[in-house]
Each structure stands twice: as C-alpha cells, then as structure tokens.
Amino acid sequence: MTSLMFIAADLAAISILTFVLYLRRHRRRDLVVSYLGMNVGVLAVATALSGSAAGIGLGLGLFGVLSIIRLRSTELAQNEVAYYFSALALGLIAGLGIEPVWLTASLMGLILLVMFVGDHPRVLPAHRHQTVILDRALAEDGELYARLEEVLQGKVHSATVQELDLVNDKTTVDVRYAYTPRINRPAAQATISAVVTPYAEETAPAVPADFAADPVRASAGAA
C-alpha cells in the first residue's frame, strides 16, 4: 500500500513538473515525453531495487550514471537540464520509498517549489545572455562595451571576446547584460502640431464682428 502511495505521489509530481511548469513556460513537447519517460523509468528501477539489501547504494549509483549522460540529440538550455535532474530526482525519491511518508512528500514538494520559483519569468527578467557578432573589430574594452550597450539597449555586465577578426573586421562576443529598453517619445508629431497651429491662427482672415452680424453686408461681401 505504501509503495502505491509513493507511485501515485510521483506521478502527480511529474505531471505538475512537466505539464503545469515546463510545458506552459517553454512549449517543447519532445522534452515533455523525455521527462515523463525518464521519471517513470527511474521510478520503476528504484522501486525494484529498493527491496534488496543494497537498494539505496544501487539507487545512488543509478543517479550518478544518469547524471553523466550527455544528451547529444539537441542542444539544451541550462533550465531544461535542471528539469531533467528534477524529473530524475522525483522518480528516485519515490522509488526508494523513504520513510516516513511525509518526508518523501516534503522532498518532492521542495523540488517542485524550487523549480516554480527559480524558473519563474519574473525572477531576474532583464538579465540575459547572448552571443553577438559586431561589424567592427573592437579590441579596446571601453569602445567594445559602449558599442554593445548601444546595440543591445542595456547595461553590459560581462563581455568575453570569442573571436577578433581583423581581416574581415568583425568581433564575436559572449555577452551577459541587463535589458533596459529606451522609451522614445514621439516628439516629431508634437513639434509639427506646435508649429502648424499658430501659423493657421495667424494666417486665417479676421472677420469684423459688426460685418458678420449684418446679413446684408455679409452677402454683399460674399458677392
């Protein structure tokens, strides 16, 4: 009965991790399948080994073997690697069946909480990382930082020159910066309206009040 509770808790936790957290934020269906398969596979192996005398040792060894696997199919971001280890850890915790039950549930909840907070869009939203290729060969740090801040519209924290091509006149830089977009005020339209309005008022013909009030004179002037 306790094993079934651990399995149900793991299935609920991996569903929250993949469908509620990861899929809604990153929208990669292929990794959802990978997270589910890895989690359930580790859960099955850890559950099978938990009954043996060396179950915990084998479980930790399994964790170490899986942690050094290089995923060569597609390039993964660091946050996606974190989801991999979280899915692996959830399956291992539930498979080993740590007593008491509330401790297992607390550890699984802690993993979900950390991933929810750490990968939240509001956590350091302006801090970004990008590889930039400039159309000039810039070797001096001050000029390089000024050009990068102009192009990226932000405050550059660090810039590592990966390639300085003096022949083709270009610079490849690995940049970490805080994005602070400039707010451009539409001053052109305001200037045009400010210039046109007084001009229209000055050039408009003035009509005397008594001339406009007399219908006969007004009709004669119009003729």
Side-chain angles (χ1 to χ4, degrees):
M1 186 65 182
T2 305
S3 299
L4 294 178
M5 293 176 58
F6 287 142
I7 293 174
D10 176 71
L11 294 178
I14 193 61
S15 299
I16 295 174
L17 182 72
T18 53
F19 296 108
V20 178
L21 298 181
Y22 179 78
L23 188 60
R24 293 180 60 185
R25 294 176 179 178
H26 302 284
R27 303 293 181 180
R28 286 193 60 176
R29 181 183 178 277
D30 55 337
L31 289 183
V32 169
V33 177
S34 180
Y35 296 151
L36 292 174
M38 175 178 286
N39 174 266
V40 175
V42 171
L43 172 66
V45 174
T47 303
L49 294 177
S50 62
S52 62
I56 297 179
L58 291 176
L60 294 176
L62 176 64
F63 188 93
V65 170
L66 293 176
S67 66
I68 63 176
I69 294 176
R70 296 191 61 184
L71 306 171
R72 301 176 181 272
S73 56
T74 57
E75 183 178 355
L76 298 177
Q78 294 300 317
N79 58 345
E80 294 171 339
V81 175
Y83 278 100
Y84 259 111
F85 281 102
S86 298
L88 190 154
L90 289 175
L92 189 58
I93 292 173
L96 293 178
I98 303 174
E99 296 287 349
V101 178
W102 65 265
L103 180 59
T104 299
S106 299
L107 293 175
M108 299 172 75
L110 179 62
I111 294 175
L112 295 177
L113 178 62
V114 169
M115 294 304 299
F116 172 77
V117 175
D119 193 40
H120 199 279
R122 294 185 179 180
V123 176
L124 302 176
H127 288 68
R128 302 182 182 182
H129 174 225
Q130 191 170 353
T131 300
V132 181
I133 301 178
L134 300 175
D135 57 354
R136 287 187 294 169
L138 302 175
E140 199 273 324
D141 289 344
E143 186 179 2
L144 176 63
Y145 274 62
R147 178 58 178 164
L148 288 173
E149 291 181 353
E150 179 184 358
V151 172
L152 299 174
Q153 298 186 16
K155 176 66 177 177
V156 176
H157 296 309
S158 65
T160 304
V161 177
Q162 296 181 341
E163 181 182 359
L164 183 63
D165 193 342
L166 299 177
V167 177
N168 298 318
D169 196 20
K170 69 176 182 178
T171 308
T172 304
V173 192
D174 183 80
V175 189
R176 299 182 185 275
Y177 65 101
Y179 179 62
T180 54
R182 305 183 185 91
I183 301 177
N184 297 323
R185 181 184 177 185
Q189 184 177 359
T191 304
I192 292 174
S193 61
V195 172
V196 172
T197 303
Y199 177 78
E201 293 178 353
E202 292 177 0
T203 56
V207 180
D210 56 347
F211 183 83
D214 190 350
V216 177
R217 295 176 61 185
S219 60

